[in-house]
Amino acid sequence: MEFQDLLYEVRNRVAWITINRPDKMNAFRGTTCDELIRALNKAGYDREVGCIVLAGAGDRAFCTGGDQSAHDGNYDGRGTIGLPMEELHTAIRDVPKPVIARVQGFAIGGGNVLCTICDLTICSEKAIFGQVGPKMGSVDPGYGTAFLARVVGEKKAREIWYLNKRYSGQEAVAMGLANVCVPHEQLDATVQEWAETICERSPTAIAIAKRSFNMDTAHQAGIAGMGMYALKLYYDTEESREGVKALQEKRKPDFRKFAK
């Protein structure tokens, strides 16, 4: 299976899926999302794989969300908003194997959502988490908000989205967004160790446990689906486009002049 935007490797029964766009801070475009869905399903239903690691190439970023250079009211792929986000998020949740987010740098925007959805998150001391949607004329109206509130608590989730602050790896652990924060040089070894430990467990028991956890929040897939349609309508407004224009023009956005 050939990939353009990803690296795919199996290390001792652990599938490493790495977004390979370091020059774009591992931001995803339509192709990236389609390939992630294919790779997750490949690893998820491969009997020789016991655990999946989701990573970003380079030292700067795990993932910084949607590629703004491919966004002008709509992204460059398929799906409601030009990215098959509903399918990607569902793939992470539905594959019968745990998915570990390996965060070595920025996990911002849609990248922060991926960390939220993954079964486990292991980060280094150089990791930075946060949301930027309301600063950019965007929002994640599904798992990135509703499910985030389950993970970190509603007050903290609202803080993350309303204030758009940055959080260290240790802060992510304290709020429940990450499981552990380790020295940068120990990150890969720790991720592989956790993954190999999972590979030693009963795969059927792990799959049932994962499904059981998912059942409690399965209704949020409906919220996400409806939310993406609302987001598409929002992307068609001048208020939303102001965020991208301001970024391109290197200025502070003025959303209120377009708000109705």
Side-chain angles (χ1 to χ4, degrees):
M1 187 176 288
E2 296 294 325
F3 297 109
Q4 182 178 349
D5 288 5
L6 305 182
L7 300 175
Y8 185 96
E9 179 185 7
V10 177
R11 309 176 191 171
N12 194 22
R13 299 190 61 214
V14 179
W16 283 67
I17 300 171
T18 304
I19 301 173
N20 190 29
R21 306 189 78 216
D23 58 318
K24 298 288 188 180
M25 299 284 280
N26 296 319
F28 46 72
R29 56 180 176 169
T31 299
T32 319
C33 293
D34 281 328
E35 290 185 352
L36 282 169
I37 293 165
R38 286 167 51 206
L40 285 161
N41 281 291
K42 173 182 171 63
Y45 297 96
D46 181 345
R47 290 181 178 273
E48 298 304 312
V49 170
C51 188
I52 301 168
V53 173
L54 183 58
D59 284 334
R60 296 180 67 199
F62 163 71
C63 176
T64 54
D67 185 351
Q68 295 301 306
S69 66
H71 174 48
D72 183 18
N74 201 55
Y75 287 97
D76 66 339
R78 61 188 177 84
T80 308
I81 62 169
L83 293 173
M85 297 313 304
E86 303 99 307
E87 289 181 50
L88 175 55
H89 295 166
T90 296
I92 294 172
R93 282 172 61 87
D94 281 2
V95 290
K97 290 151 190 182
V99 182
I100 301 175
R102 173 238 186 225
V103 183
Q104 85 290 20
F106 289 103
I108 302 295
N112 195 72
V113 177
L114 295 180
C115 292
T116 303
I117 299 172
C118 283
D119 296 272
L120 302 167
T121 296
I122 299 175
C123 66
S124 90
E125 292 173 338
K126 294 184 179 181
I128 299 292
F129 297 82
Q131 276 301 337
V132 294
K135 292 173 64 176
M136 295 296 303
S138 185
V139 67
D140 186 303
Y143 288 110
T145 45
F147 187 61
L148 178 66
R150 288 293 190 99
V151 174
V152 304
E154 188 163 324
K155 291 291 186 182
K156 197 67 178 181
R158 290 173 187 260
E159 173 191 313
I160 290 169
W161 275 99
Y162 296 171
L163 275 65
N164 307 139
K165 295 166 61 178
R166 301 286 177 89
Y167 302 90
S168 68
Q170 293 291 359
E171 288 174 311
V173 172
M175 73 174 79
L177 184 58
N179 295 87
V180 64
C181 179
V182 300
H184 190 71
E185 63 274 11
Q186 296 177 18
L187 180 60
D188 283 353
T190 303
V191 170
Q192 187 70 21
E193 179 187 356
W194 281 45
E196 289 181 5
T197 299
I198 291 170
C199 290
E200 296 173 355
R201 305 298 183 249
S202 163
T204 302
I206 291 290
I208 292 172
K210 179 165 180 171
R211 296 286 187 187
S212 298
F213 286 126
N214 287 351
M215 284 177 66
D216 185 50
T217 52
H219 66 283
Q220 292 186 351
I223 297 174
M226 179 62 75
M228 287 298 167
Y229 277 97
L231 186 60
K232 175 63 176 78
L233 295 174
Y234 174 47
Y235 280 166
D236 288 337
T237 68
E238 289 301 319
E239 181 182 343
S240 175
R241 292 192 179 105
E242 169 66 3
V244 177
K245 289 179 181 177
L247 177 67
Q248 294 171 343
E249 296 170 6
K250 298 181 179 180
R251 61 175 174 81
K252 186 176 181 179
D254 184 4
F255 294 111
R256 296 207 172 270
K257 69 178 179 181
F258 300 107
K260 296 180 180 179

PDB file of all heavy atoms in Angstrom, residues 11-14 16 49-53 98 100 120 122 188-203 206:
ATOM      1  N   ARG A  11       6.552  -2.253  13.699  1.00  0.00           N
ATOM      2  CA  ARG A  11       7.696  -2.558  14.548  1.00  0.00           C
ATOM      3  C   ARG A  11       7.260  -3.519  15.648  1.00  0.00           C
ATOM      4  O   ARG A  11       6.545  -3.109  16.580  1.00  0.00           O
ATOM      5  CB  ARG A  11       8.268  -1.290  15.180  1.00  0.00           C
ATOM      6  CG  ARG A  11       8.563  -0.153  14.207  1.00  0.00           C
ATOM      7  CD  ARG A  11       9.036   1.091  14.961  1.00  0.00           C
ATOM      8  NE  ARG A  11       9.081   2.262  14.098  1.00  0.00           N
ATOM      9  CZ  ARG A  11       9.298   3.505  14.540  1.00  0.00           C
ATOM     10  NH1 ARG A  11       9.488   3.717  15.848  1.00  0.00           N
ATOM     11  NH2 ARG A  11       9.313   4.523  13.698  1.00  0.00           N
ATOM     12  N   ASN A  12       7.646  -4.753  15.540  1.00  0.00           N
ATOM     13  CA  ASN A  12       7.318  -5.755  16.561  1.00  0.00           C
ATOM     14  C   ASN A  12       5.830  -5.752  16.895  1.00  0.00           C
ATOM     15  O   ASN A  12       5.424  -5.589  18.036  1.00  0.00           O
ATOM     16  CB  ASN A  12       8.149  -5.533  17.830  1.00  0.00           C
ATOM     17  CG  ASN A  12       8.102  -6.732  18.767  1.00  0.00           C
ATOM     18  OD1 ASN A  12       7.821  -7.854  18.340  1.00  0.00           O
ATOM     19  ND2 ASN A  12       8.362  -6.503  20.045  1.00  0.00           N
ATOM     20  N   ARG A  13       4.992  -5.888  15.852  1.00  0.00           N
ATOM     21  CA  ARG A  13       3.538  -5.985  15.941  1.00  0.00           C
ATOM     22  C   ARG A  13       2.860  -4.643  16.245  1.00  0.00           C
ATOM     23  O   ARG A  13       1.657  -4.595  16.436  1.00  0.00           O
ATOM     24  CB  ARG A  13       3.111  -7.032  16.982  1.00  0.00           C
ATOM     25  CG  ARG A  13       3.587  -8.444  16.661  1.00  0.00           C
ATOM     26  CD  ARG A  13       2.942  -9.464  17.556  1.00  0.00           C
ATOM     27  NE  ARG A  13       1.500  -9.442  17.358  1.00  0.00           N
ATOM     28  CZ  ARG A  13       0.612  -9.670  18.338  1.00  0.00           C
ATOM     29  NH1 ARG A  13       1.030  -9.896  19.571  1.00  0.00           N
ATOM     30  NH2 ARG A  13      -0.676  -9.657  18.083  1.00  0.00           N
ATOM     31  N   VAL A  14       3.630  -3.554  16.250  1.00  0.00           N
ATOM     32  CA  VAL A  14       3.062  -2.225  16.469  1.00  0.00           C
ATOM     33  C   VAL A  14       3.113  -1.446  15.153  1.00  0.00           C
ATOM     34  O   VAL A  14       4.189  -1.258  14.585  1.00  0.00           O
ATOM     35  CB  VAL A  14       3.838  -1.450  17.553  1.00  0.00           C
ATOM     36  CG1 VAL A  14       3.240  -0.060  17.741  1.00  0.00           C
ATOM     37  CG2 VAL A  14       3.838  -2.226  18.868  1.00  0.00           C
ATOM     38  N   TRP A  16       3.106   1.828  13.122  1.00  0.00           N
ATOM     39  CA  TRP A  16       3.368   3.261  13.266  1.00  0.00           C
ATOM     40  C   TRP A  16       2.863   3.957  12.009  1.00  0.00           C
ATOM     41  O   TRP A  16       3.362   3.710  10.903  1.00  0.00           O
ATOM     42  CB  TRP A  16       4.861   3.533  13.445  1.00  0.00           C
ATOM     43  CG  TRP A  16       5.370   3.220  14.828  1.00  0.00           C
ATOM     44  CD1 TRP A  16       5.471   1.993  15.414  1.00  0.00           C
ATOM     45  CD2 TRP A  16       5.855   4.167  15.783  1.00  0.00           C
ATOM     46  NE1 TRP A  16       5.982   2.107  16.683  1.00  0.00           N
ATOM     47  CE2 TRP A  16       6.234   3.426  16.942  1.00  0.00           C
ATOM     48  CE3 TRP A  16       6.011   5.546  15.779  1.00  0.00           C
ATOM     49  CZ2 TRP A  16       6.750   4.041  18.078  1.00  0.00           C
ATOM     50  CZ3 TRP A  16       6.533   6.158  16.921  1.00  0.00           C
ATOM     51  CH2 TRP A  16       6.896   5.413  18.051  1.00  0.00           C
ATOM     52  N   VAL A  49      -0.924  -7.204  13.760  1.00  0.00           N
ATOM     53  CA  VAL A  49      -0.768  -5.932  14.468  1.00  0.00           C
ATOM     54  C   VAL A  49      -1.612  -5.944  15.737  1.00  0.00           C
ATOM     55  O   VAL A  49      -2.786  -6.329  15.701  1.00  0.00           O
ATOM     56  CB  VAL A  49      -1.188  -4.744  13.560  1.00  0.00           C
ATOM     57  CG1 VAL A  49      -1.271  -3.441  14.357  1.00  0.00           C
ATOM     58  CG2 VAL A  49      -0.214  -4.595  12.404  1.00  0.00           C
ATOM     59  N   GLY A  50      -1.015  -5.533  16.849  1.00  0.00           N
ATOM     60  CA  GLY A  50      -1.738  -5.529  18.104  1.00  0.00           C
ATOM     61  C   GLY A  50      -2.047  -4.146  18.643  1.00  0.00           C
ATOM     62  O   GLY A  50      -2.889  -3.979  19.522  1.00  0.00           O
ATOM     63  N   CYS A  51      -1.369  -3.131  18.110  1.00  0.00           N
ATOM     64  CA  CYS A  51      -1.568  -1.762  18.582  1.00  0.00           C
ATOM     65  C   CYS A  51      -1.133  -0.811  17.473  1.00  0.00           C
ATOM     66  O   CYS A  51      -0.303  -1.160  16.622  1.00  0.00           O
ATOM     67  CB  CYS A  51      -0.759  -1.515  19.859  1.00  0.00           C
ATOM     68  SG  CYS A  51      -1.095   0.063  20.685  1.00  0.00           S
ATOM     69  N   ILE A  52      -1.703   0.392  17.478  1.00  0.00           N
ATOM     70  CA  ILE A  52      -1.417   1.384  16.444  1.00  0.00           C
ATOM     71  C   ILE A  52      -0.886   2.660  17.097  1.00  0.00           C
ATOM     72  O   ILE A  52      -1.426   3.112  18.115  1.00  0.00           O
ATOM     73  CB  ILE A  52      -2.688   1.716  15.635  1.00  0.00           C
ATOM     74  CG1 ILE A  52      -3.251   0.449  14.977  1.00  0.00           C
ATOM     75  CG2 ILE A  52      -2.413   2.794  14.594  1.00  0.00           C
ATOM     76  CD1 ILE A  52      -4.653   0.629  14.407  1.00  0.00           C
ATOM     77  N   VAL A  53       0.150   3.229  16.504  1.00  0.00           N
ATOM     78  CA  VAL A  53       0.689   4.521  16.949  1.00  0.00           C
ATOM     79  C   VAL A  53       0.426   5.549  15.854  1.00  0.00           C
ATOM     80  O   VAL A  53       0.724   5.306  14.683  1.00  0.00           O
ATOM     81  CB  VAL A  53       2.199   4.440  17.236  1.00  0.00           C
ATOM     82  CG1 VAL A  53       2.763   5.834  17.535  1.00  0.00           C
ATOM     83  CG2 VAL A  53       2.476   3.488  18.393  1.00  0.00           C
ATOM     84  N   PRO A  98      -6.216  -0.494  20.145  1.00  0.00           N
ATOM     85  CA  PRO A  98      -5.939   0.835  20.697  1.00  0.00           C
ATOM     86  C   PRO A  98      -5.059   1.660  19.770  1.00  0.00           C
ATOM     87  O   PRO A  98      -4.136   1.138  19.133  1.00  0.00           O
ATOM     88  CB  PRO A  98      -5.208   0.517  22.007  1.00  0.00           C
ATOM     89  CG  PRO A  98      -5.637  -0.865  22.369  1.00  0.00           C
ATOM     90  CD  PRO A  98      -5.799  -1.575  21.059  1.00  0.00           C
ATOM     91  N   ILE A 100      -2.580   4.913  19.868  1.00  0.00           N
ATOM     92  CA  ILE A 100      -1.809   5.785  20.758  1.00  0.00           C
ATOM     93  C   ILE A 100      -1.328   7.010  19.980  1.00  0.00           C
ATOM     94  O   ILE A 100      -0.669   6.883  18.951  1.00  0.00           O
ATOM     95  CB  ILE A 100      -0.583   5.056  21.344  1.00  0.00           C
ATOM     96  CG1 ILE A 100      -1.003   3.828  22.140  1.00  0.00           C
ATOM     97  CG2 ILE A 100       0.235   6.006  22.225  1.00  0.00           C
ATOM     98  CD1 ILE A 100       0.177   2.994  22.644  1.00  0.00           C
ATOM     99  N   LEU A 120      -5.131   6.473  23.792  1.00  0.00           N
ATOM    100  CA  LEU A 120      -4.110   6.910  24.735  1.00  0.00           C
ATOM    101  C   LEU A 120      -3.284   8.015  24.081  1.00  0.00           C
ATOM    102  O   LEU A 120      -3.154   8.052  22.854  1.00  0.00           O
ATOM    103  CB  LEU A 120      -3.179   5.754  25.122  1.00  0.00           C
ATOM    104  CG  LEU A 120      -3.829   4.510  25.741  1.00  0.00           C
ATOM    105  CD1 LEU A 120      -2.832   3.358  25.775  1.00  0.00           C
ATOM    106  CD2 LEU A 120      -4.340   4.813  27.140  1.00  0.00           C
ATOM    107  N   ILE A 122       0.562   9.818  24.606  1.00  0.00           N
ATOM    108  CA  ILE A 122       1.857   9.894  25.281  1.00  0.00           C
ATOM    109  C   ILE A 122       2.617  11.057  24.659  1.00  0.00           C
ATOM    110  O   ILE A 122       2.753  11.140  23.439  1.00  0.00           O
ATOM    111  CB  ILE A 122       2.650   8.583  25.114  1.00  0.00           C
ATOM    112  CG1 ILE A 122       1.865   7.407  25.736  1.00  0.00           C
ATOM    113  CG2 ILE A 122       4.025   8.695  25.765  1.00  0.00           C
ATOM    114  CD1 ILE A 122       2.502   6.047  25.507  1.00  0.00           C
ATOM    115  N   ASP A 188       9.905   7.873  22.091  1.00  0.00           N
ATOM    116  CA  ASP A 188       9.672   6.728  21.223  1.00  0.00           C
ATOM    117  C   ASP A 188       9.766   5.406  21.980  1.00  0.00           C
ATOM    118  O   ASP A 188       8.969   4.495  21.754  1.00  0.00           O
ATOM    119  CB  ASP A 188      10.661   6.726  20.055  1.00  0.00           C
ATOM    120  CG  ASP A 188      10.287   7.737  18.986  1.00  0.00           C
ATOM    121  OD1 ASP A 188       9.187   8.340  19.083  1.00  0.00           O
ATOM    122  OD2 ASP A 188      11.083   7.947  18.053  1.00  0.00           O
ATOM    123  N   ALA A 189      10.736   5.304  22.878  1.00  0.00           N
ATOM    124  CA  ALA A 189      10.890   4.071  23.651  1.00  0.00           C
ATOM    125  C   ALA A 189       9.676   3.836  24.544  1.00  0.00           C
ATOM    126  O   ALA A 189       9.207   2.702  24.689  1.00  0.00           O
ATOM    127  CB  ALA A 189      12.168   4.134  24.490  1.00  0.00           C
ATOM    128  N   THR A 190       9.160   4.909  25.135  1.00  0.00           N
ATOM    129  CA  THR A 190       7.984   4.773  26.001  1.00  0.00           C
ATOM    130  C   THR A 190       6.757   4.364  25.200  1.00  0.00           C
ATOM    131  O   THR A 190       6.000   3.476  25.606  1.00  0.00           O
ATOM    132  CB  THR A 190       7.707   6.097  26.738  1.00  0.00           C
ATOM    133  OG1 THR A 190       8.853   6.477  27.492  1.00  0.00           O
ATOM    134  CG2 THR A 190       6.514   5.947  27.681  1.00  0.00           C
ATOM    135  N   VAL A 191       6.562   5.007  24.049  1.00  0.00           N
ATOM    136  CA  VAL A 191       5.420   4.666  23.197  1.00  0.00           C
ATOM    137  C   VAL A 191       5.496   3.205  22.767  1.00  0.00           C
ATOM    138  O   VAL A 191       4.510   2.466  22.849  1.00  0.00           O
ATOM    139  CB  VAL A 191       5.374   5.590  21.962  1.00  0.00           C
ATOM    140  CG1 VAL A 191       4.338   5.084  20.956  1.00  0.00           C
ATOM    141  CG2 VAL A 191       5.049   7.019  22.374  1.00  0.00           C
ATOM    142  N   GLN A 192       6.673   2.778  22.316  1.00  0.00           N
ATOM    143  CA  GLN A 192       6.829   1.393  21.867  1.00  0.00           C
ATOM    144  C   GLN A 192       6.616   0.411  23.025  1.00  0.00           C
ATOM    145  O   GLN A 192       5.995  -0.647  22.851  1.00  0.00           O
ATOM    146  CB  GLN A 192       8.215   1.196  21.249  1.00  0.00           C
ATOM    147  CG  GLN A 192       8.439  -0.157  20.591  1.00  0.00           C
ATOM    148  CD  GLN A 192       7.660  -0.361  19.310  1.00  0.00           C
ATOM    149  OE1 GLN A 192       7.251   0.600  18.683  1.00  0.00           O
ATOM    150  NE2 GLN A 192       7.441  -1.614  18.921  1.00  0.00           N
ATOM    151  N   GLU A 193       7.103   0.779  24.204  1.00  0.00           N
ATOM    152  CA  GLU A 193       6.931  -0.092  25.377  1.00  0.00           C
ATOM    153  C   GLU A 193       5.455  -0.266  25.728  1.00  0.00           C
ATOM    154  O   GLU A 193       4.982  -1.381  25.970  1.00  0.00           O
ATOM    155  CB  GLU A 193       7.685   0.490  26.574  1.00  0.00           C
ATOM    156  CG  GLU A 193       7.541  -0.336  27.853  1.00  0.00           C
ATOM    157  CD  GLU A 193       8.159   0.338  29.064  1.00  0.00           C
ATOM    158  OE1 GLU A 193       8.771   1.417  28.910  1.00  0.00           O
ATOM    159  OE2 GLU A 193       8.010  -0.210  30.172  1.00  0.00           O
ATOM    160  N   TRP A 194       4.708   0.841  25.774  1.00  0.00           N
ATOM    161  CA  TRP A 194       3.280   0.758  26.067  1.00  0.00           C
ATOM    162  C   TRP A 194       2.568  -0.067  24.996  1.00  0.00           C
ATOM    163  O   TRP A 194       1.723  -0.910  25.308  1.00  0.00           O
ATOM    164  CB  TRP A 194       2.672   2.164  26.129  1.00  0.00           C
ATOM    165  CG  TRP A 194       2.909   2.909  27.405  1.00  0.00           C
ATOM    166  CD1 TRP A 194       4.081   3.016  28.104  1.00  0.00           C
ATOM    167  CD2 TRP A 194       1.947   3.667  28.147  1.00  0.00           C
ATOM    168  NE1 TRP A 194       3.913   3.807  29.211  1.00  0.00           N
ATOM    169  CE2 TRP A 194       2.612   4.214  29.268  1.00  0.00           C
ATOM    170  CE3 TRP A 194       0.606   3.958  27.960  1.00  0.00           C
ATOM    171  CZ2 TRP A 194       1.970   5.027  30.200  1.00  0.00           C
ATOM    172  CZ3 TRP A 194      -0.045   4.771  28.885  1.00  0.00           C
ATOM    173  CH2 TRP A 194       0.628   5.290  29.997  1.00  0.00           C
ATOM    174  N   ALA A 195       2.907   0.171  23.740  1.00  0.00           N
ATOM    175  CA  ALA A 195       2.251  -0.531  22.641  1.00  0.00           C
ATOM    176  C   ALA A 195       2.554  -2.021  22.688  1.00  0.00           C
ATOM    177  O   ALA A 195       1.653  -2.862  22.484  1.00  0.00           O
ATOM    178  CB  ALA A 195       2.696   0.065  21.311  1.00  0.00           C
ATOM    179  N   GLU A 196       3.803  -2.386  22.946  1.00  0.00           N
ATOM    180  CA  GLU A 196       4.164  -3.801  23.010  1.00  0.00           C
ATOM    181  C   GLU A 196       3.500  -4.491  24.192  1.00  0.00           C
ATOM    182  O   GLU A 196       3.146  -5.685  24.118  1.00  0.00           O
ATOM    183  CB  GLU A 196       5.683  -3.951  23.072  1.00  0.00           C
ATOM    184  CG  GLU A 196       6.373  -3.602  21.764  1.00  0.00           C
ATOM    185  CD  GLU A 196       7.881  -3.771  21.822  1.00  0.00           C
ATOM    186  OE1 GLU A 196       8.394  -4.252  22.861  1.00  0.00           O
ATOM    187  OE2 GLU A 196       8.558  -3.422  20.832  1.00  0.00           O
ATOM    188  N   THR A 197       3.311  -3.770  25.286  1.00  0.00           N
ATOM    189  CA  THR A 197       2.585  -4.328  26.427  1.00  0.00           C
ATOM    190  C   THR A 197       1.148  -4.648  26.030  1.00  0.00           C
ATOM    191  O   THR A 197       0.611  -5.716  26.367  1.00  0.00           O
ATOM    192  CB  THR A 197       2.589  -3.344  27.612  1.00  0.00           C
ATOM    193  OG1 THR A 197       3.937  -3.114  28.023  1.00  0.00           O
ATOM    194  CG2 THR A 197       1.786  -3.890  28.792  1.00  0.00           C
ATOM    195  N   ILE A 198       0.511  -3.747  25.297  1.00  0.00           N
ATOM    196  CA  ILE A 198      -0.854  -3.988  24.814  1.00  0.00           C
ATOM    197  C   ILE A 198      -0.884  -5.204  23.903  1.00  0.00           C
ATOM    198  O   ILE A 198      -1.833  -6.012  23.952  1.00  0.00           O
ATOM    199  CB  ILE A 198      -1.392  -2.744  24.096  1.00  0.00           C
ATOM    200  CG1 ILE A 198      -1.626  -1.614  25.099  1.00  0.00           C
ATOM    201  CG2 ILE A 198      -2.685  -3.055  23.323  1.00  0.00           C
ATOM    202  CD1 ILE A 198      -1.938  -0.266  24.478  1.00  0.00           C
ATOM    203  N   CYS A 199       0.147  -5.358  23.078  1.00  0.00           N
ATOM    204  CA  CYS A 199       0.208  -6.497  22.154  1.00  0.00           C
ATOM    205  C   CYS A 199       0.252  -7.839  22.890  1.00  0.00           C
ATOM    206  O   CYS A 199      -0.099  -8.881  22.318  1.00  0.00           O
ATOM    207  CB  CYS A 199       1.427  -6.380  21.246  1.00  0.00           C
ATOM    208  SG  CYS A 199       1.326  -5.063  20.017  1.00  0.00           S
ATOM    209  N   GLU A 200       0.688  -7.839  24.141  1.00  0.00           N
ATOM    210  CA  GLU A 200       0.740  -9.072  24.930  1.00  0.00           C
ATOM    211  C   GLU A 200      -0.607  -9.433  25.533  1.00  0.00           C
ATOM    212  O   GLU A 200      -0.795 -10.546  26.024  1.00  0.00           O
ATOM    213  CB  GLU A 200       1.769  -8.914  26.054  1.00  0.00           C
ATOM    214  CG  GLU A 200       3.204  -8.735  25.574  1.00  0.00           C
ATOM    215  CD  GLU A 200       4.165  -8.422  26.711  1.00  0.00           C
ATOM    216  OE1 GLU A 200       3.674  -8.258  27.864  1.00  0.00           O
ATOM    217  OE2 GLU A 200       5.375  -8.332  26.453  1.00  0.00           O
ATOM    218  N   ARG A 201      -1.563  -8.517  25.499  1.00  0.00           N
ATOM    219  CA  ARG A 201      -2.869  -8.759  26.100  1.00  0.00           C
ATOM    220  C   ARG A 201      -3.793  -9.484  25.115  1.00  0.00           C
ATOM    221  O   ARG A 201      -3.537  -9.534  23.914  1.00  0.00           O
ATOM    222  CB  ARG A 201      -3.506  -7.421  26.530  1.00  0.00           C
ATOM    223  CG  ARG A 201      -2.643  -6.587  27.463  1.00  0.00           C
ATOM    224  CD  ARG A 201      -2.358  -7.298  28.781  1.00  0.00           C
ATOM    225  NE  ARG A 201      -1.584  -6.462  29.705  1.00  0.00           N
ATOM    226  CZ  ARG A 201      -0.336  -6.700  30.058  1.00  0.00           C
ATOM    227  NH1 ARG A 201       0.312  -7.737  29.549  1.00  0.00           N
ATOM    228  NH2 ARG A 201       0.285  -5.888  30.915  1.00  0.00           N
ATOM    229  N   SER A 202      -4.872 -10.014  25.646  1.00  0.00           N
ATOM    230  CA  SER A 202      -5.853 -10.703  24.796  1.00  0.00           C
ATOM    231  C   SER A 202      -6.452  -9.722  23.801  1.00  0.00           C
ATOM    232  O   SER A 202      -7.091  -8.743  24.202  1.00  0.00           O
ATOM    233  CB  SER A 202      -6.967 -11.297  25.663  1.00  0.00           C
ATOM    234  OG  SER A 202      -8.090 -11.613  24.864  1.00  0.00           O
ATOM    235  N   PRO A 203      -6.278  -9.949  22.487  1.00  0.00           N
ATOM    236  CA  PRO A 203      -6.809  -9.001  21.502  1.00  0.00           C
ATOM    237  C   PRO A 203      -8.329  -8.898  21.527  1.00  0.00           C
ATOM    238  O   PRO A 203      -8.878  -7.816  21.308  1.00  0.00           O
ATOM    239  CB  PRO A 203      -6.303  -9.545  20.165  1.00  0.00           C
ATOM    240  CG  PRO A 203      -6.004 -10.973  20.417  1.00  0.00           C
ATOM    241  CD  PRO A 203      -5.560 -11.055  21.836  1.00  0.00           C
ATOM    242  N   ILE A 206      -9.287  -6.769  24.573  1.00  0.00           N
ATOM    243  CA  ILE A 206      -8.993  -5.363  24.282  1.00  0.00           C
ATOM    244  C   ILE A 206     -10.050  -4.782  23.348  1.00  0.00           C
ATOM    245  O   ILE A 206     -10.546  -3.658  23.548  1.00  0.00           O
ATOM    246  CB  ILE A 206      -7.595  -5.218  23.652  1.00  0.00           C
ATOM    247  CG1 ILE A 206      -6.499  -5.550  24.682  1.00  0.00           C
ATOM    248  CG2 ILE A 206      -7.396  -3.811  23.089  1.00  0.00           C
ATOM    249  CD1 ILE A 206      -6.333  -4.534  25.788  1.00  0.00           C
TER     250      ILE A 206
END
